[in-house]
Structure formats: C-alpha cells, structure tokens
C-alpha cells in the first residue's frame, strides 16, 4: 500500500464517520514548463510544480468540497471535516438531494501515449529550437514582430472514492506556437501558426516533428506582409469555407459549450451563461444538416481532452452528441446525467486539485466528411475562405455568435483569389449548422487543442480538444 | 507569515545565484455558488505558491512550487539557478533593486477572513427568500478570502502584506427570460449591503414589460458601472500597460499628451484608494504608485513593472504581476472620476436611450482602435421620455471603446467597485451617444 493509498483510506473513513453518503479523494501533481521568445530575445523561463489534494463529499444530500496544498495526515483530517461542514451549509439551500448516475468501480492505471517525455529534453535544446524558429520568422524583412513558445505539462492524478474506485493516471501535454506581425501602429497584421493558440496535444516532444517550420513560416510571414495592403473583407451574404483550426473554435463555442449539461440546467447562469439546448430538444432538435455528426470522445488518440478516467472516476468512452444532424446527447457528469435518466459521458474535470470538478468538454469531434479541400472551394462561385481564429464572441445562451479570422481569401468561380483582411462572420447557431453542406475528408482532419477554456467560479482553465476538418457553410453574413 | 519569512531569510543566504528573489502568495479561499436558489457548488481552499527568480548576469530563471519547507525552497532556488544558467541573456532585464518599505495596507478585515460557510449560506438563503417573494429565482456566487503576500530579494527588499476580499454577484430571473444582475465587493464584509444588492438585481428582473427587439443602429446608451468596467478592463489590457506601449501595440503609442477621449473622462491607477485597499506593493516588492492614465481626456501615462519601467523611462509603478507571466504590467486599481448627476437624473433627462446592465463575451475586433464586439446581458431596457419604456432583447454591439469614451454626455455621481479578472475598478455610470448595435438576438 503506497502512502497515497493510506491517506485516501484515512480521508474516506473520516468522511464516512461524519455521515457522508458519498466521498472522493483526489491528489493532483502538475509539473509544467513554458519557454518563449519574443523579437529575438528569450522570455523568462518558468518551471513549476504544484501538488495538493481535494475531498468532495455529499452530506445531507448536498455537496461540499475542501482542498489543501499540505498533503499530510493531520491536514487531511482537517480538510475532511471542513468538506463535511461546507456540505452541511450547502444543505441549507437545497430542493432535492443530490443523486448520482450509476458508475462502475475501477482499480486501474492510465498513462497517456507519448514517444519522448518532454521533461527529458534539456533546456538548452529547447531554447535552440526557439532560437531557430525566431531566426526563420525574422528572415522576411517585412516582419516587425515575432513571438514563439513551447509549453509542456505532466499531470499525475490519483483518485479514490467511497464506491471502491482507485485510479492512477499520468498525462503528458505538449504545446508549441508562433506568430509574426507586420506593420506598426494602426496598420498592423498578424499571422499565427499552426493555430491562433498554437498546437496542443496529449503527446510528447515528438509533436515538434509534425510541422514543417522551414516551409510554413515563410508562407505566413509573406501573408502577414500582404495583409497590410489587402482590401478589407466585404460585407455581404455569401458561402464560406472555414479552415480546420478555426472550425475547432466554432465547434467548441457553438456545439461543445451549449451541450454541457450543467449549463443546460442553469449552473453557470450567473457567469459563463446557460444554453438554448434544453433536454426536451433531445432526439428531436435538428441541430445541423444531415452531414453533421459530432461525438464527445476522450478516447481519441492524442486529443488534448484525452484521458483514461474523468475526475469522478468515470471511464473514458465515446458519446454521440449530434447524429445525422439531430441532437442525441449531452456532455455530462454523474449528477447531471442522472437528471435526464442517462449515465455520465465522463466529462467532470477540475483544474488541478484546488477546484471543484465541473462539466467540461473532453474531445468534441466533428466527424470528417468526404470532400477534398479543392472540392469544398470548388463548390462556391462567390464566397470567402477564412483561416486562423482572431476574434470570437457568442451570447450567454450560445445562439448569436460573431467570429473573426486573421486572413481570408475571396472565392471566385471555385478558386481562391484575392487576400482580404479582417474577415469576420456572424449568425445563429442552429441556422448556421443547418447550412453546412460540405465537410473535409479524413486527410484534412485533426484534433485541435484549446489550452485555456475558461469556466466556473473561481475561474478554471480546462484543456479540451476539437476534432475538425475544413467545412463549408451556405449563405452566411460576412464582414460583420 | 513569520515562519515563511524566516525560511526565506535562511534560503536567500544559501543561494548561489548572483541575485535571488523569493515570493510567496498564500491564500485561504471560500466560494459558494448557487443556481435556481440552490447551493450547487461550495469550495474551501488553502494554498501557498512560492516563486523563485534566480539571476546571473542578464539570464533569468524562474521556478515555482507550493511546498513551504526550507528544503523545498532550497530546491526551488537551485532549480531557478539551473534554468538561469541555461538561459540566454535578456539584454532588457534591469536587475533586482532594493525597494523601500511599502505603506501598511488597509485591506485586511478579520470578519471577512473568518466568515464561515454557514454564514455565507445563511445570507444566500435570505437573498433567495427575498427573490421568492417576487416569484424569482437567484443564481450567483459569494466569495470570502484572505491573501498574504511576501516578497524578499538579495538586494534587501523585505515586504509583507495581507488583504481580504468579500465578493457577491447575483442574477435574479425566471424561466421567461427575465434577468437582473447586481454585484458587490468590499475588503470588509460588514460594508456590503446584501439586501440592497438583492433588491437591485430583483428590481431589474421584475420589470414586467414584454421584451421588444430593437433594430440595429446607433443609439444613446446608459452604461451601469459594471458595463463601464467591462470596457475599462479591456482598455487597461490594451493600452494602459507598459508592454503594449513599448511594443507599440497600444492605442497609447505616440498618443501620450494628446486627447484620446472626452475631456469629461479622467482615469487613475489608484491602488491606495480607500475603496480599493490593495496590498501596498507588487510581485517584485515595489510599492504601488498612483498613476494618472487619462486626465480630462488626455493620455497621461501607463503602468509599469521594473522591466518595462526601465524601457519606457518611468521606472516601475509597482504593477508587476506574478513572476513568469508574459502579459506585462497592466492596471489593477483603476478609478474613474465621478460626475454631478445621479443615474436616476441621467435616466430622467434622457429622451431616448438604451440602459445596459453589463456586457458578455467582449472580444477585440481591432486592438489598434480598441474596438470590441459582445452582447448585452441580464437587464437591457429602453428609456423613452425619461422613463423605462420596455425590456429589450439582448443585442450584439460592435464599438470602438475609445470612440465610446469620446462620446460621453453624462457621468453619474455614484460609483461602484467592480471586480473583474483580478482587477478592481471604481467607476460611475456613463451616458454615451452614437453607440453601435449590430444585431438583435
């Protein structure tokens, strides 16, 4: 029996002694390292380690959570008592007792697949890489600003609950990204690569080998310079094609968030907002056109939202959210799933040990279609192709959105022609997804990582994945 | 705090780096969330983060952790030193300095620090009961917390400070889409008028008028202080920090000393304001300074940490964020000067205006002219002939914040303290003409 096993047993016994009807004990240790370069100069390198534990209980039918950085027996007893005290206070304002959907009891370990542990690569080697990227960025004399970063994280989680579950997990995340700017003052343009937040995956240092920086950096540098004198995106209604990385954002904001079942039930009404997708829409709402199929899948290889188990011990599995355009499922926890008579989608996640786990996207994947990129573009006579997210906003019910991209190209006669700057578009979630008539094939599909999805109070950052290929939408208002 | 200081003193002496800085931020944090008048999340947390910056020449390494033992701090220093020795020179890094002792803060209140979960739940129940009388439900959060900050460095800086926070926000509403929002913040929990707060949120949600949709276009608007703070926070990020000025990515670039907004507007970074009560020094141990950002509409200056203070030639204003951040300094205690009329007077004198409680999901459209998009939320109303004429369906805006602050017609005499993303803003309501709405929801 390891020390953590013993501490878990103490914690759970204490909550049981204090009349908890359910309890879980979670220890999380996170090691992270971030390096940056900006305009030829290294930014401060920080390496951090953070460890602590949390105890979540149901007492008198209500939730309590307490956590601490001091992982020792005395503190665990204090925190267990405090969690129970907090739950009793919660019970002052309850309508019905908390009930959880059924879940199995697991004793398993999960280590995310990776080839090279990024923490085995020396700091000088990583700085050499960024210096090389910085040099490539600076080769174009029109570039006035350049930034790049590497970001690595190892998370070790141990989870135990009063139902007999004991899980150990180790997750490795790697991220990289860069941007170049041209111009100055009010006439300034920026291009980011591989996406606006970079590329993040549940993978090791091998992530760096997947990109051809030598070829791609000169292209985006050239685009940044070209944008300075490009015409502004026209204002009109036309057909559009969105690139894969931007589709990741669109899926995240207009499908993932509205289908988080805690939002649907109003848990975030005062802060992150609610949702239009009420449970009476289940199995009948035409969310998108018939080619739109979306899954919630933490088992997707290398997705930033991949894991073995969520933070209440539900084993990772795939759930259909939208099938042939119809809303068929939600992103849920044991508590929220129970309210609609289903089992959890395995999506209850906390940022570290210091936060209550809440319903989160894992990997929300728009399934690939059948069209090549040329076919997507070729099917438009007069339209716009938009690439790389630059701005996003959606209302608190997740219906009315406005998204912008770093660069656009006019589509004329089925071909990409003139570059336009500040391309943007807006619309209504349901109308927009029902106008989708083409999705790129598997060769263009990738799980794009979102490293900083904000939700909850106190604010929590989650890491989520969105599987996407480029997609085509008809008659959208652009240049908004 | 004294135990940590003692550990820091011993560890500093053992550091092999040319310069060493140690920072500890300790917190005891409680937050109760409620939705539809039920407490659904209830958190207690005790944590302490320690950062070490080790400097050799102009090479900087940072390591952080959350274990408070001498051995753990020694290891952090060793790690930061290793990182520093691998790092490249940062020719801009100005080095550490000895800062004078900061004035003692006035932001710590025992009653806030010792507030119990039971007390918070009891208050929420009282608010819920007030709402239930009006057939409304309430959602929101109620936070009480204490923070202690210690900064020491090998040049002789020794700073310690503590502060408390009590924060509550409420959305009152029903299933027909009516909603009203209100929030309150104080270092001293005893100063929060919970009943008044509940009545403000409920009052907005209770407006019985059916919502109407208004055509997109330009309208006069009356922004509640919370909506003003939404804009001001973005302006702070975009333009009032030393990094964006230095890199010329700010609307303040080449504009200091020129008119950038209405001459009615004056904004100051004022961490010592009695309403704000910040700990008196920043994460580099530099005492926080009062900084004029805008005076009578003229751009006056920005806030800086030691690095950007050195680059911009002003020295640090005491606005360093936590070690290792890449944002650069930005204001965290903005105060806007009040006007002469009450908000009620401004409303009564308005022939036609849209009254906005706050905004949601603002994001940049064009950082250089400070234009943003987002939607109104939780209480949007049409004012006609000085009276509330209708509830308005939430709308999307697309607006340059600088233009909006240039088009100010009136400023309220009352101000409210608004907390947002780690910043505090003490701001009035504003009446603004020619404000752009681009779509109705």
């Amino acid at each position: 029996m390891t020390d953590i096993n013993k501490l878990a047993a103490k914690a759970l016994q204490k909550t049981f002694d204090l009349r908890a009807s359910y309890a879980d004990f979670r220890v999380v240790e996170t090691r992270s390292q971030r390096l940056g370069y900006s305009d030829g100069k290294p930014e401060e390198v920080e390496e951090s380690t953070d460890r602590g534990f949390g105890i979540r209980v149901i007492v008198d039918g209500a939730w309590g959570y307490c956590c601490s950085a001091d992982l020792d027996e005395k503190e665990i007893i204090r925190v267990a008592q405090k969690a129970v005290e907090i739950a009793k206070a919660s019970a002052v304002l309850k309508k019905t007792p908390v009930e959880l959907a059924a879940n199995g009891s697991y004793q398993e370990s999960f280590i995310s697949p990776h080839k090279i542990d990024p923490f085995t690569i020396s700091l000088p080697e990583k700085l050499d890489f960024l210096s090389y990227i910085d040099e490539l960025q600076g080769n174009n004399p029109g570039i006035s600003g350049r930034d790049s970063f590497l970001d690595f994280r190892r998370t070790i989680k141990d989870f135990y609950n009063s139902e007999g579950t004991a899980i150990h997990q180790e997750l490795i995340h790697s991220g990289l990204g860069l941007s170049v700017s041209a111009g100055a003052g009010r006439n300034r343009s920026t291009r980011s690569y591989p996406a606006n937040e970079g590329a993040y995956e549940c993978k090791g240092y091998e992530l760096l080998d997947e990109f051809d920086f030598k070829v791609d950096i000169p292209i985006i540098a050239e685009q940044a310079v070209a944008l300075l004198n490009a015409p502004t995106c026209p204002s009109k209604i036309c057909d559009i094609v969105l690139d894969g990385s931007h589709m990741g954002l669109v899926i995240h904001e207009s499908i993932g968030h509205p289908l988080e079942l805690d939002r649907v039930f109003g848990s975030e009404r005062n802060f992150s907002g609610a949702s239009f997708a009420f449970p009476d829409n289940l199995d009948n709402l035409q969310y998108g056109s018939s080619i739109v199929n979306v899954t919630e899948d933490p088992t997707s290889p290398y997705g930033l939202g991949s894991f073995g188990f969520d933070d209440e011990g539900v084993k990772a599995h795939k759930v259909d959210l939208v099938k042939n355009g119809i809303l068929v499922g939600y992103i849920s926890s044991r508590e929220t799933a129970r309210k609609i008579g289903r089992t959890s989608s395995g999506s209850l996640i906390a940022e570290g040990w210091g936060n209550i786990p809440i319903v989160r996207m894992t990997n929300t994947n728009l399934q690939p279609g059948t069209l090549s990129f040329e076919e997507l573009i070729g099917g438009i006579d007069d339209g716009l192709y938009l690439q790389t997210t630059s701005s996003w906003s959606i209302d608190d019910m997740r219906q009315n959105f406005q998204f912008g991209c770093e660069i656009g190209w006019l589509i004329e006669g089925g071909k990409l022609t003139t570059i336009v700057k500040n391309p943007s578009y807006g619309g209504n979630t349901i109308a927009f997804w029902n106008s989708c008539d083409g999705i790129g094939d598997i060769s263009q599909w990738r799980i794009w990582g979102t490293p900083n999805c904000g939700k909850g109070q106190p604010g929590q950052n989650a890491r989520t994945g969105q599987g996407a290929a480029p997609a085509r939408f008809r008659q959208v208002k652009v240049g908004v | 705090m004294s135990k940590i200081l003692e550990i820091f003193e011993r560890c500093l002496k053992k550091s092999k780096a040319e310069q060493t800085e140690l920072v500890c931020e300790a917190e005891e944090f409680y937050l109760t969330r409620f939705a539809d008048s039920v407490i659904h999340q209830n958190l207690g947390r005790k944590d302490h983060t320690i950062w070490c910056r080790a400097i050799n020449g102009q090479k900087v390494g940072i390591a952080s952790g959350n274990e408070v033992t001498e051995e753990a701090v020694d290891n952090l220093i060793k790690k930061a030193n290793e990182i520093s020795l691998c790092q490249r020179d940062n020719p801009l890094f100005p080095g550490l300095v000895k800062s004078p002792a900061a004035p003692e803060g006035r932001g710590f209140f025992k009653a806030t620090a010792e507030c119990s979960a039971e007390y918070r739940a009891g208050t929420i129940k009282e608010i819920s009961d007030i709402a239930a009388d009006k057939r409304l439900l309430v959602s929101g959060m109620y936070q009480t917390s204490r923070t202690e900050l210690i900064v020491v460095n090998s040049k002789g800086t020794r700073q310690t400070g503590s502060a408390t926070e009590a924060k509550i926000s409420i959305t009152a509403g029903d299933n027909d889409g009516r909603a009203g929002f209100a929030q309150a913040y104080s270092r001293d929990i005893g100063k929060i008028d919970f009943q008044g707060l509940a009545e403000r949120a409920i009052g907005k949600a209770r407006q019985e008028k059916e919502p109407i949709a208004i055509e997109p276009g330009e309208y006069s608007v009356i922004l509640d202080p919370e909506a003003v703070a939404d804009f001001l926070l973005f302006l702070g990020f975009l333009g009032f920090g030393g990094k964006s000025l230095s890199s010329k990515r700010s609307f303040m670039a080449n504009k200091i000393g020129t008119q950038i907004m209405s001459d009615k507007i004056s904004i100051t970074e004022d961490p010592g304001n009695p309403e704000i009560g910040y700990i008196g020094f920043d994460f580099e141990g530099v005492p926080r300074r009062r900084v004029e950002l805008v005076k009578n509409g003229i751009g006056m200056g920005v806030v800086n940490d030691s690095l950007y203070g050195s680059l911009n030639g002003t020295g640090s204003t005491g606005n360093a964020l936590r070690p290792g951040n890449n944002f650069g300094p930005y204001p965290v205690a903005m105060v806007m000067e009040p006007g002469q009329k009450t908000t009620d007077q401004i409303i009564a004198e308005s022939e036609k205006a849209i009254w906005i409680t706050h905004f949601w999901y603002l994001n940049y459209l064009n950082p250089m002219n400070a234009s943003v998009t987002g939607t109104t939320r939780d209480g949007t109303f049409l004012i006609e002939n000085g009276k509330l004429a209708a509830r308005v369906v939430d709308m999307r805006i697309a607006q340059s914040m600088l233009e909006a602050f240039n088009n100010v017609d009136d400023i309220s005499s009352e101000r409210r303290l608004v907390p947002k993303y780690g910043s505090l803003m003490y701001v009035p309501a504003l009446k603004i003409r020619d404000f752009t709405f681009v779509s109705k929801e």
Side-chain angles (χ1 to χ4, degrees):
Chain A
M1 194 179 251
T2 66
D3 284 342
I4 289 182
N5 277 334
K6 283 182 188 167
L7 293 172
K10 291 267 183 202
L12 295 176
Q13 182 61 47
K14 186 67 187 175
T15 61
F16 179 76
D17 293 344
L18 295 171
R19 296 191 298 109
S21 57
Y22 169 87
D24 56 43
F25 174 77
R26 201 161 48 86
V27 180
V28 183
E29 180 175 328
T30 306
R31 180 180 177 189
S32 53
Q33 184 186 59
R34 188 179 168 100
L35 310 82
Y37 247 73
S38 182
D39 296 336
K41 296 179 286 292
E43 297 204 315
E44 292 175 339
V45 175
E46 180 178 1
E47 185 159 333
S48 66
T49 306
D50 175 85
R51 188 173 81 152
F53 70 95
I55 297 175
R56 192 175 69 138
V57 297
I58 299 175
V59 180
D60 297 341
W63 285 115
Y65 184 76
C66 194
C67 53
S68 170
D70 299 324
L71 187 59
D72 60 53
E73 191 174 323
K74 190 176 162 196
E75 180 70 350
I76 280 170
I77 297 301
R78 184 194 72 82
V79 167
Q81 287 169 331
K82 196 83 179 171
V84 169
E85 180 188 311
I86 288 172
K88 285 181 177 172
S90 300
V92 168
L93 220 62
K94 74 165 195 260
K95 283 180 186 155
T96 54
V98 172
E99 292 184 293
L100 304 179
N103 188 42
S105 174
Y106 302 94
Q107 296 79 41
E108 293 188 27
S109 291
F110 175 84
I111 297 175
S112 67
H114 58 276
K115 290 179 184 161
I116 306 167
D117 180 344
F119 293 97
T120 64
I121 303 295
S122 73
L123 201 53
E125 186 175 339
K126 290 166 182 164
L127 288 166
D128 283 346
F129 171 80
L130 287 178
S131 174
Y132 166 70
I133 295 294
D134 185 75
E135 194 179 315
L136 289 175
Q137 290 171 299
N139 282 344
N140 186 321
I143 292 303
S144 57
R146 50 198 201 273
D147 295 285
S148 57
F149 71 86
L150 292 172
D151 191 357
F152 305 104
R153 180 184 290 185
R154 174 194 288 124
T155 306
I156 300 173
K157 298 182 179 188
D158 289 283
F159 174 88
Y160 302 80
N161 72 12
S162 52
E163 297 167 342
T165 288
I167 295 160
H168 176 80
Q169 298 191 82
E170 296 183 22
L171 307 174
I172 295 274
H173 290 172
S174 296
L176 64 91
L178 62 97
S179 66
V180 289
S181 301
R186 293 199 173 205
N187 189 21
R188 187 181 177 93
S189 62
T190 298
R191 289 289 287 129
S192 307
Y193 178 85
N196 73 315
E197 305 270 11
Y200 275 84
E201 294 192 26
C202 186
K203 193 176 268 187
Y205 201 72
E206 65 273 13
L207 176 69
L208 275 63
D209 297 330
E210 294 181 8
F211 300 94
D212 195 339
F213 299 101
K214 207 168 178 178
V215 169
D216 293 338
I217 289 175
I219 292 171
I220 62 158
E222 195 63 39
Q223 290 171 350
V225 174
L227 280 168
L228 289 177
N229 296 311
T232 299
C233 174
S235 293
K236 61 181 181 179
I237 292 173
C238 67
D239 302 335
I240 64 173
V241 172
L242 304 176
D243 88 294
S245 73
H246 179 63
M247 278 300 298
L249 171 101
V250 176
I251 294 161
H252 182 97
E253 299 290 354
S254 66
I255 294 181
H257 279 311
L259 297 187
E260 291 166 339
L261 200 46
D262 60 340
R263 277 178 190 269
V264 173
F265 287 125
S267 296
E268 293 285 334
R269 184 164 296 151
N270 175 251
F271 185 59
S272 303
S275 171
F276 65 90
F278 300 119
D280 57 2
N281 294 140
L282 201 56
D283 297 325
N284 59 55
L285 175 65
Q286 188 75 43
Y287 205 108
S289 66
S290 61
I291 64 168
V292 174
N293 291 284
V294 182
T295 60
E296 186 68 9
D297 189 3
T299 69
S300 304
Y302 310 119
L304 195 62
S306 299
F307 49 70
F309 291 83
D310 77 354
D311 287 342
E312 61 176 350
V314 176
K315 194 173 176 69
H317 61 288
K318 182 162 81 172
V319 170
D320 286 321
L321 298 178
V322 177
K323 196 164 190 180
N324 301 324
I326 304 289
L327 172 66
V328 296
Y330 284 105
I331 301 168
S332 64
S333 60
R334 293 180 67 187
E335 181 186 10
T336 54
R338 165 89 183 194
K339 292 180 182 176
I340 58 167
R342 296 194 176 188
T343 54
S344 168
S345 69
S347 309
L348 199 74
I349 309 290
E351 181 185 0
W353 54 269
N355 288 289
I356 296 174
I358 56 177
V359 175
R360 288 304 207 153
M361 281 171 254
T362 57
N363 299 307
T364 309
N365 300 332
L366 173 65
Q367 298 305 306
T370 57
L371 300 182
S372 67
F373 183 72
E374 290 72 24
E375 286 170 325
L376 286 169
I377 300 294
I380 294 178
D381 188 46
D382 172 26
L384 191 67
Y385 171 56
L386 297 93
Q387 199 177 76
T388 316
T389 305
S390 66
S391 174
W392 59 99
S393 175
I394 188 165
D395 75 288
D396 56 308
M397 296 298 283
R398 300 275 152 184
Q399 286 175 299
N400 173 301
F401 64 80
Q402 180 167 319
F403 300 138
C405 286
E406 290 181 353
I407 187 168
W409 284 264
L410 298 180
I411 303 172
E412 295 170 310
K415 304 279 184 203
L416 298 179
T417 59
T418 310
I419 285 178
V420 293
K421 65 182 167 190
N422 298 328
S424 62
Y425 62 100
N428 173 282
T429 296
I430 294 296
F432 179 75
W433 280 104
N434 275 280
S435 78
C436 179
D437 82 335
I439 300 173
D441 59 29
I442 187 71
S443 70
Q444 304 164 75
W445 196 87
R446 180 182 187 99
I447 300 186
W448 297 91
T450 300
N452 54 0
C453 173
K455 185 179 172 184
Q457 293 168 302
Q460 297 190 45
N461 271 329
R463 295 189 149 197
T464 70
Q466 290 74 221
R472 185 171 65 205
F473 299 84
R474 297 293 185 183
Q475 295 301 285
V476 177
K477 192 174 176 185
V478 305
V480 291
Chain B
M1 205 179 313
S2 59
K3 181 189 154 201
I4 298 173
L5 254 182
E6 286 169 16
I7 291 173
F8 278 9
E9 293 286 3
R10 289 197 295 274
C11 293
L12 269 185
K13 286 179 188 154
K14 290 182 270 180
S15 173
K16 292 187 166 51
E18 290 172 15
Q19 298 178 44
T20 307
E21 174 190 78
L22 290 167
V23 178
C24 176
E25 186 182 31
E27 66 160 10
E28 200 164 333
F29 181 98
Y30 297 95
L31 191 145
T32 305
R33 296 185 89 189
F34 47 104
D36 289 345
S37 298
V38 169
I39 292 175
H40 65 298
Q41 290 170 17
N42 210 343
L43 164 91
R45 179 170 69 204
K46 195 175 168 192
D47 193 14
H48 27 63
T49 304
I50 296 170
W51 291 268
C52 173
R53 273 202 301 176
I55 296 110
N56 290 288
Q58 288 182 298
K59 302 178 191 340
V60 183
I62 304 173
S64 67
N66 67 342
E67 192 181 342
V68 190
T69 62
E70 186 163 338
E71 185 186 2
V73 175
D74 281 338
N75 286 337
L76 276 186
I77 293 174
K78 191 175 164 199
K79 184 76 196 172
N81 197 36
E82 283 169 10
I83 293 170
S84 164
L85 293 171
C86 294
Q87 185 48 304
R88 315 288 162 89
D89 277 332
N90 183 348
L92 306 179
F93 184 72
L96 301 180
V97 294
K98 178 179 180 177
S99 292
E104 198 163 325
R106 290 176 292 175
F108 185 89
F109 292 86
K110 195 167 175 242
T112 309
E114 294 178 355
C115 178
S116 69
E118 191 182 359
Y119 182 88
R120 286 191 303 279
T123 304
I124 295 165
K125 180 150 190 342
E126 285 171 21
I127 291 167
S128 168
D129 290 344
I130 297 170
D133 284 346
K134 311 295 182 191
R135 288 181 295 166
L136 293 169
L137 297 168
V138 287
S139 302
M141 72 87 171
Y142 183 4
Q143 173 200 322
T144 54
S145 57
R146 64 188 290 172
T147 302
E148 292 173 351
L149 184 63
I150 301 171
V151 183
V152 303
N153 70 30
S154 53
K155 294 284 187 177
T157 295
R158 299 288 183 274
Q159 306 280 24
T160 60
S162 55
T164 51
E165 292 187 296
K167 193 186 319 185
I168 182 163
S169 72
I170 303 170
T171 305
D174 62 12
N175 291 328
D176 295 329
R178 291 184 304 166
F181 174 86
Q183 67 179 2
Y185 176 100
S186 179
R187 302 283 179 189
D188 180 359
I189 196 170
K191 282 191 178 169
I192 294 181
D193 172 9
F194 291 98
Q195 182 157 347
L197 181 76
E199 284 168 0
R200 181 148 54 91
I202 289 164
K204 287 205 170 185
R206 276 190 71 210
Q207 301 301 331
E208 301 292 346
K209 312 277 186 190
E210 283 303 306
I212 61 166
I214 288 183
E215 287 304 311
E218 291 187 347
Y219 295 85
S220 285
V221 295
I222 298 164
L223 304 184
D224 267 354
E226 288 74 15
V228 173
D230 284 328
F231 269 22
L232 191 55
L233 182 79
F234 265 69
L235 282 177
F237 287 151
L238 268 179
F240 295 143
K243 183 174 183 178
S244 61
L245 182 74
S246 163
S247 59
K248 297 194 168 26
R249 300 180 191 188
S250 159
F251 59 81
M252 290 284 271
N254 304 318
K255 295 284 184 184
I256 290 180
T258 68
Q259 197 82 32
I260 59 168
M261 52 184 73
S262 163
D263 61 10
K264 295 184 175 74
I265 298 281
S266 294
I267 304 165
T268 308
E269 169 77 349
D270 190 5
N273 182 294
E275 296 290 333
I276 286 179
Y278 248 101
I279 289 175
F281 56 93
D282 69 4
F283 283 87
E284 292 178 323
V286 176
R288 293 183 182 277
R289 277 176 18 201
R290 187 174 187 276
V291 180
E292 282 190 328
L293 303 171
V294 178
K295 187 171 186 183
N296 300 328
I298 295 170
M300 300 297 287
V302 302
V303 299
N304 285 295
D305 58 13
S306 61
L307 192 155
Y308 289 100
S310 166
L311 279 177
N312 293 325
T314 61
S316 173
T317 58
N319 284 83
L321 303 178
R322 293 176 178 84
N325 83 87
N326 292 321
F327 300 111
Y330 58 77
V332 292
M334 286 185 281
V335 174
M336 187 182 284
E337 288 301 304
Q340 302 296 321
K341 300 174 187 170
T342 65
T343 306
D344 286 346
Q345 280 176 299
I346 293 170
I347 289 172
E349 291 173 8
S350 295
E351 191 179 326
K352 184 173 185 180
I354 295 172
W355 181 21
I356 295 169
T357 298
H358 67 156
F359 295 111
W360 166 244
Y361 222 135
L362 289 180
N363 207 337
Y364 304 119
L365 287 171
N366 182 349
M368 295 313 298
N369 67 6
S371 64
V372 292
T373 185
T375 63
T376 63
R377 182 175 173 183
D378 300 332
T380 307
F381 304 99
L382 176 66
I383 306 293
E384 281 183 332
N385 301 317
K387 290 196 167 60
L388 195 150
R391 196 150 56 91
V392 175
V393 175
D394 284 324
M395 302 175 77
R396 175 167 293 284
I397 66 158
Q399 177 64 51
S400 158
M401 297 179 291
L402 287 175
E403 282 176 20
F405 280 18
N406 198 41
N407 292 341
V408 170
D409 284 334
D410 267 319
I411 301 177
S412 74
S413 52
E414 325 92 292
R415 289 183 287 183
R416 281 202 289 267
L417 195 55
V418 183
K420 271 188 190 300
Y421 298 107
S423 288
L424 289 175
M425 289 160 282
Y426 190 44
V427 289
L430 297 179
K431 183 176 180 187
I432 295 168
R433 64 184 177 278
D434 301 333
F435 195 92
T436 307
F437 295 90
V438 290
S439 67
K440 55 197 171 192
E441 289 183 18

